[in-house]
Amino acid sequence: EIVLTQSPGTLSLSPGERATLSCRASQSLYTNYLAWYQQRPGQAPRLLIYGASYRATGIPDRFSGSGSGTDFALTVSRLEPEDFAVYFCQYYYTSPQTFGQGTTVEVK
Amino acid sequence: VQLVESGGGLAQPGGSLRLSCSGSGISFSSHHMHWVRQAPGKGLEYVSGIVRNGDKTIYADSVKGRFTISRDNSNNKMDLQLSSLRSEDTAVYYCVREEAGDWKPFDFWGQGTLVIVSS
């Protein structure tokens, strides 16, 4: 079973700053079937990135995904107020699917 | 596109609940569908999934043998029967659509229905 470990648990930043979130897999994800989701307070998650680096429909280009193998990252180039939220990674080439435990991006 | 969950509420330990998910504006039968839950203040936990035609189902170990997933494509509906409920089943349960195809990300989520298991 593949385990996804996200770090840091909490990231304290100011609007306009760059955020880099990490998702590390317990073994290589040869297919790069890695997704990122954003969950704002009181809302359902929404898909941001799939295939490790492809933005979902309607996602601003300040969001980017990168990585391969066991190490993946989500970068928000300049944080907007609405970007302060919880972010989850997911490996979807497995059944049942696996989620990381989440990273909270909070206002410093 | 809309996914609307219903059926959540308060249940006693050992009790049962039936959750439903109604889809509109989507080709329901074209998508594998899933349930994902989130305990209060916690992360996302995969619960169960069902393929497009309903022939195959998958369950997390934590719910296997207690929960049953089903779907009715003619009515754009998916259900999750929860039985032998435990306090650790307390969570918001999300109905989730997998993007069309196989081995795809979850491209649309309902707003969730809250299940509380308590005496």
Side-chain angles (χ1 to χ4, degrees), chain A residues 78-92:
Chain A
R78 292 175 312 280
L79 285 165
E80 298 287 340
E82 61 269 26
D83 300 335
F84 291 91
V86 182
Y87 294 83
F88 297 95
C89 58
Q90 178 208 28
Y91 179 50
Y92 53 92

Side-chain angles (χ1 to χ4, degrees), chain B residues 19-114:
Chain B
L19 307 184
S20 290
C21 171
S22 292
S24 61
I26 65 172
S27 302
F28 199 81
S29 59
S30 298
H31 298 268
H32 305 320
M33 297 293 295
H34 307 267
W35 291 94
V36 175
R37 69 184 181 184
Q38 186 170 37
K42 301 297 185 182
L44 302 174
E45 180 187 14
Y46 184 86
V47 175
S48 183
I50 187 165
V51 299
R52 285 180 289 266
N53 64 5
D55 275 1
K56 290 185 181 178
T57 58
I58 185 77
Y59 299 93
D61 286 344
S62 57
V63 307
K64 204 173 291 183
R66 301 188 299 120
F67 291 7
T68 303
I69 192 171
S70 60
R71 68 188 294 166
D72 177 359
N73 287 338
S74 61
N75 288 302
N76 286 352
K77 191 165 164 271
M78 175 178 68
D79 288 346
L80 186 68
Q81 178 68 42
L82 287 61
S83 303
S84 302
L85 283 163
R86 306 167 181 167
S87 57
E88 54 265 36
D89 295 320
T90 294
V92 173
Y93 285 72
Y94 293 104
C95 169
V96 184
R97 184 183 84 170
E98 182 176 328
E99 188 181 309
D102 296 309
W103 305 114
K104 296 292 188 181
F106 296 168
D107 68 344
F108 199 80
W109 299 60
Q111 283 305 301
T113 187
L114 176 61

